[in-house]
Amino acid sequence: MQSITNIQSSSMAQNFSWLHRGLTEIFPHNSNSDSESESLEKLLATTDRPLRVKFGIDPTGAEIHLGHSIPVRKLRNFQDAGHTAVLIIGDFTARIGDPTGKSEVRRQLTEVDVAQNAQTYLDQVRPILDFDTPGRLEVRYNSEWLSKLDLGKILELLATMTVGQMLAKEGFAERYKKENPIFLHEFLYPLMQGYDSVAVQADVELGGTDQKFNLAVGRDLQRHFGQRPQYCVLLPILNGLDGVQKMSKSLGNYVGLSEHPSQMYQKLQQVPDNLLEDYFKLLTDLALDKLPEKPRDRQQLLAWDIVRQYHGETAANEAREAAKTGGQGGAVPEFSLSQVQFPAKLFSILNVSGLCKSGNEGRRKIQEGGVRLNGDRITDIDTTFDSLTDLEGKVLQVGKNKFVRLVP
């Protein structure tokens, strides 16, 4: 195996500002036990091999937003320091759904649902991660090992944790207190996520602060299976554009990684002043002590830099100019839904709007997964909209470069 000293500079190895930027917690830290007495920083500085740094993401939806990008960006930091990013697509765990923070059981997704969502994830994180340098990235699907667990192995996993420990998990405790049902398959989720760490022999796992319980289970299971327990790096949960609640598509306070550059710019230049420092710290690599003084200038710099990351400098410049002259519509051309007779099939709207040359081309693009509505991929060729209000204000997209904003 290639020595880490050959793939990272000594200055990068000793300077851990990249590790601590935006960090909430590393655990264990300065443990008293003999086997874990070293800190993660010391391990990074002295290891003679690239560490295996795990981050898992469940494809429970079609779109990743900026909140999801925070641990992926930290994963890139580890890559740049010479370590191996192990990106786990939770195609098996997504079929259960992480119960963390949920007041009720999540709908179980089908294999088809998960496969369709998973197709979009790698494209969306490609601008963040190094996919090209040999040894820097492993992409794994946890169905590779979880689908092969027999009943004996599942019983072994279940025997590592008590019901009391499970009920101490945030979310489970609240639901139990309120007498909301907790189904047995939900108890398997943290165990399966933890077993991912065993399967890939993770040295480090990244996750949001809401994942602390699940990451700790990974340590316990590694110890059970005779591996050195991983270090766990916790990162903050990003507040959404409303400045109050965490970024969430269901709350409408999000910025999707695949959004049109102008749409992304328009949203980000309106980030509340009280969130600007966190957004710069967590979503950019810009020096925090060299930011503009005026909040408006900071908003515009933030919007420009994030658009540049995901769409390139030219697109960022165009989005900035469009914001100055084009109002809320920016550079996204508009299409009037008055030209559509409702109820209307999606493939017909694609044709009438000019995004596709014919209804047949529209059907084909939908089947190929090339059509999105407000960032959500649509693959059902029979998708129908009953009225104009179902579509008003949304952005309809075909491929990477064809967009229209649907207006009355």
Side-chain angles (χ1 to χ4, degrees):
M1 179 177 291
Q2 188 179 22
S3 170
I4 192 170
T5 57
N6 295 328
I7 57 177
Q8 69 172 14
S9 68
S10 59
S11 61
M12 189 66 171
Q14 302 300 328
N15 179 5
F16 297 118
S17 59
W18 60 269
L19 173 64
H20 292 285
R21 178 163 173 152
L23 193 68
T24 298
E25 181 183 358
I26 299 175
F27 71 92
H29 191 68
N30 294 329
S31 170
N32 293 323
S33 67
D34 293 338
S35 62
E36 297 173 358
S37 59
E38 297 180 348
S39 66
L40 176 56
E41 293 87 345
K42 187 173 181 181
L43 177 61
L44 287 166
T46 59
T47 183
D48 61 355
R49 62 174 178 83
L51 300 182
R52 296 177 60 76
V53 185
K54 167 198 171 190
F55 174 62
I57 186 167
D58 285 350
T60 53
E63 186 176 27
I64 299 174
H65 58 60
L66 287 176
H68 299 132
S69 76
I70 293 172
V72 183
R73 285 176 51 79
K74 188 63 69 177
L75 195 60
R76 175 59 186 263
N77 292 157
F78 276 96
Q79 285 186 301
D80 290 341
H83 302 287
T84 301
V86 184
L87 178 64
I88 296 180
I89 304 296
D91 60 329
F92 194 92
T93 44
R95 293 169 60 188
I96 293 180
D98 186 357
T100 300
K102 301 299 178 183
S103 60
E104 57 187 26
V105 65
R106 298 183 67 151
R107 180 180 70 88
Q108 286 185 261
L109 301 178
T110 67
E111 287 187 59
V112 174
D113 292 332
V114 172
Q116 289 176 347
N117 293 338
Q119 289 178 2
T120 70
Y121 274 43
L122 292 180
D123 286 341
Q124 292 176 74
V125 300
R126 191 170 292 275
I128 306 175
L129 296 177
D130 180 356
F131 277 73
D132 300 320
T133 305
R136 289 278 181 92
L137 179 66
E138 287 182 20
V139 178
R140 307 286 292 273
Y141 293 79
N142 63 13
S143 60
E144 175 187 338
W145 49 86
L146 294 179
S147 65
K148 298 175 183 176
L149 294 181
D150 58 22
L151 184 57
K153 182 65 72 173
I154 293 172
L155 289 173
E156 182 179 359
L157 292 178
L158 290 171
T160 65
M161 185 167 290
T162 68
V163 172
Q165 288 173 306
M166 280 290 184
L167 290 179
K169 175 179 168 61
E170 182 183 359
F172 283 155
E174 181 181 354
R175 286 163 62 184
Y176 186 74
K177 183 178 180 180
K178 293 181 177 179
E179 298 185 355
N180 290 341
I182 302 171
F183 292 87
L184 290 177
H185 75 276
E186 295 182 274
F187 281 172
L188 280 172
Y189 186 93
L191 290 167
M192 290 194 298
Q193 181 176 326
Y195 190 73
D196 289 348
S197 294
V198 175
V200 302
Q201 299 183 25
D203 297 299
V204 181
E205 182 172 8
L206 311 180
T209 52
D210 60 344
Q211 292 294 309
K212 186 171 185 176
F213 182 93
N214 293 346
L215 270 60
V217 171
R219 285 177 46 80
D220 292 341
L221 289 180
Q222 285 180 310
R223 190 181 291 110
H224 174 80
F225 286 101
Q227 296 180 11
R228 175 172 177 162
Q230 64 191 8
Y231 284 93
C232 302
V233 176
L234 298 181
L235 298 153
I237 305 299
L238 188 69
N239 275 351
L241 299 176
D242 58 1
V244 179
Q245 302 186 78
K246 74 175 185 178
M247 185 171 284
S248 168
K249 190 163 187 181
S250 63
L251 296 174
N253 63 356
Y254 74 103
V255 179
L257 303 192
S258 61
E259 288 189 30
H260 186 278
S262 182
Q263 187 176 25
M264 180 181 282
Y265 188 97
Q266 289 286 355
K267 287 184 176 182
L268 288 166
Q269 71 169 354
Q270 299 175 45
V271 171
D273 294 352
N274 65 307
L275 294 184
L276 284 172
E277 184 175 349
D278 282 346
Y279 273 51
F280 275 111
K281 182 190 302 180
L282 298 171
L283 303 175
T284 81
D285 295 321
L286 298 174
L288 301 180
D289 58 352
K290 296 181 180 179
L291 299 176
E293 292 185 8
K294 296 180 179 180
R296 184 57 178 165
D297 293 337
R298 290 191 177 201
Q299 289 171 320
Q300 292 174 345
L301 175 60
L302 176 73
W304 182 88
D305 189 72
I306 292 178
V307 173
R308 177 196 58 79
Q309 291 178 47
Y310 295 102
H311 297 286
E313 188 169 337
T314 299
N317 290 336
E318 291 175 351
R320 180 170 56 191
E321 291 305 310
K324 292 178 181 178
T325 61
Q328 292 300 314
V332 183
E334 295 181 347
F335 170 73
S336 175
L337 293 168
S338 63
Q339 303 175 54
V340 176
Q341 183 175 354
F342 290 94
K345 297 283 190 181
L346 176 59
F347 62 78
S348 175
I349 298 173
L350 291 171
N351 179 25
V352 176
S353 66
L355 291 173
C356 292
K357 295 179 181 179
S358 66
N360 285 335
E361 182 185 358
R363 289 187 182 92
R364 186 173 71 253
K365 292 294 184 182
I366 294 170
Q367 288 178 317
E368 293 171 352
V371 176
R372 295 175 183 267
L373 183 64
N374 261 21
D376 287 331
R377 189 184 299 271
I378 299 178
T379 56
D380 182 358
I381 61 172
D382 292 321
T383 298
T384 303
F385 299 96
D386 294 327
S387 69
L388 179 150
T389 55
D390 294 334
L391 296 169
E392 183 179 349
K394 296 182 179 180
V395 174
L396 185 60
Q397 173 186 349
V398 176
K400 293 184 177 181
N401 300 313
K402 291 184 178 181
F403 298 81
V404 293
R405 188 184 305 279
L406 303 173
V407 297

